[in-house]
Amino acid sequence: MHLATPQETSSVRTFAQRLSSTRRGARLARLLAAGQLRAWPLSPSVAERAEQVVAELAANAALHGRVRGRDFRISLTLNGVTSVLLVEVTDTRGDKTPEPGPAPGPDEESGRGLLLVDALADRWGTDPYPPHGKTVWAEFDPPSRHP
C-alpha cells in the first residue's frame, strides 16, 4: 500500500501588463488590476486599497515617469503562502524618485497621490530599474495581519 505524503503547495499568482504612458494607459491599468484582483482570493478591503494604489502609481507613471515612446508596466503578485499582495509599477524615469511632500492645501487639486499610497499600503518604496527606470512598489498584508 502506498500512502501519499501531504505536501504544501506554494502558489504564486502573477499578473503583468505593459501600457502606454498616457492617461488612457493609466486608466486601463486600474481597470485591468481591478478585474484581476477580483479574480484572486483576496479580501475586498485589500483589493480596494490595492486598486486605489494602482490608480495613483499608474497616474504618476504616465504623468511624471513618462518618456515619449516608452511604456510603463504594472505587475501584481499574490504570494499563496503569506497572502501578501505586491503591486509594482515600473516606468522609464529613474531620475525622478517619488517622495511625498507636505500635505497640499484644501483648495489644491493635486499632490495627494503619494500620501494616499502611504495611507493605503502596508509598506511601499522604490527600487532602481536599470538602465534608466524605477519601480515603485507597495505591499498589502492580509486582514488577519493588519492591525
Side-chain angles (χ1 to χ4, degrees):
M1 183 163 104
H2 177 47
L3 296 174
T5 305
Q7 295 181 2
E8 186 176 316
T9 59
S10 67
S11 62
V12 175
R13 297 171 190 248
T14 60
F15 171 82
Q17 182 70 47
R18 284 179 49 178
L19 299 153
S20 64
S21 293
T22 61
R23 290 187 335 193
R24 184 176 183 197
R27 180 177 177 271
L28 185 55
R30 179 181 183 158
L31 293 172
L32 290 170
Q36 190 61 57
L37 293 167
R38 274 189 240 115
W40 286 349
L42 287 168
S43 76
S45 67
V46 169
E48 289 169 8
R49 290 186 300 132
E51 182 183 342
Q52 289 296 318
V53 168
V54 167
E56 292 300 331
L57 296 181
N60 284 351
L63 181 63
H64 304 294
R66 182 171 192 237
V67 173
R68 184 179 282 274
R70 297 204 180 158
D71 297 337
F72 73 94
R73 179 178 183 266
I74 65 164
S75 172
L76 307 173
T77 305
L78 179 60
N79 183 314
V81 174
T82 64
S83 297
V84 172
L85 174 66
L86 172 65
V87 170
E88 296 175 298
V89 177
T90 302
D91 66 46
T92 54
R93 292 290 305 265
D95 59 322
K96 287 192 157 193
T97 304
E99 295 180 23
D107 295 331
E108 294 183 48
E109 294 182 14
S110 64
R112 292 172 182 80
L114 291 177
L115 295 172
L116 286 172
V117 170
D118 192 50
L120 295 171
D122 292 300
R123 291 165 299 285
W124 75 277
T126 62
D127 292 324
Y129 189 80
H132 303 293
K134 70 176 168 304
T135 298
V136 182
W137 56 268
E139 288 184 327
F140 301 85
D141 294 333
S144 62
R145 293 179 53 189
H146 204 48

